């Protein structure tokens, strides 16, 4: 998820894959050359409780096949991790 650890790793140039639910990745995504964002549908208001059924539905809609494809793309990324933060 969009956690502090993802921001730290991205800042160090590590390959990072972040799953987003309700949060807008344009505003809050980790920054770095190897950040891969996965989000199902459009970002919604942060006014919705993260423990709500709506929030859970968004995360549950992330298809495992989509996550797998993004992981494969990240692994094929030819830029070495840490190369230019």
């Amino acid at each position: 998820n969009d956690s502090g650890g993802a921001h730290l790793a991205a800042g160090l140039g590590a390959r990072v894959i972040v799953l987003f639910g309700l949060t807008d990745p344009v505003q809050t995504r980790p920054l770095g050359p190897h950040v891969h964002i996965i989000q199902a549908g459009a970002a919604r208001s942060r006014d919705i409780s993260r423990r709500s059924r709506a929030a859970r539905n968004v995360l549950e809609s992330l298809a495992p096949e989509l996550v797998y494809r993004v992981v494969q793309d990240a692994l094929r990324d030819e830029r070495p991790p840490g190369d230019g933060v």
Side-chain angles (χ1 to χ4, degrees):
N1 68 2
D2 182 22
S3 68
H7 290 275
L8 290 171
L12 293 172
R15 290 185 177 108
V16 178
I17 298 169
V18 186
L19 305 177
F20 273 83
L22 299 173
T23 308
D24 184 357
V26 171
Q27 296 179 1
T28 62
R29 74 183 200 92
L31 301 176
H34 303 285
V35 176
H36 301 266
I37 301 298
I38 302 174
Q39 184 173 35
R44 299 185 182 144
S45 170
R46 290 189 77 169
D47 295 336
I48 299 171
S49 168
R50 291 180 183 214
R51 296 177 186 221
S52 71
R53 185 67 199 156
R56 193 172 334 160
N57 286 344
V58 171
L59 289 175
E60 288 175 354
S61 71
L62 291 170
E65 298 81 14
L66 171 62
V67 176
Y68 179 78
R69 275 194 315 248
V70 173
V71 169
Q72 293 301 309
D73 289 345
L75 292 173
R76 281 192 295 273
D77 185 349
E78 294 184 15
R79 295 169 294 176
D83 183 32
V85 176

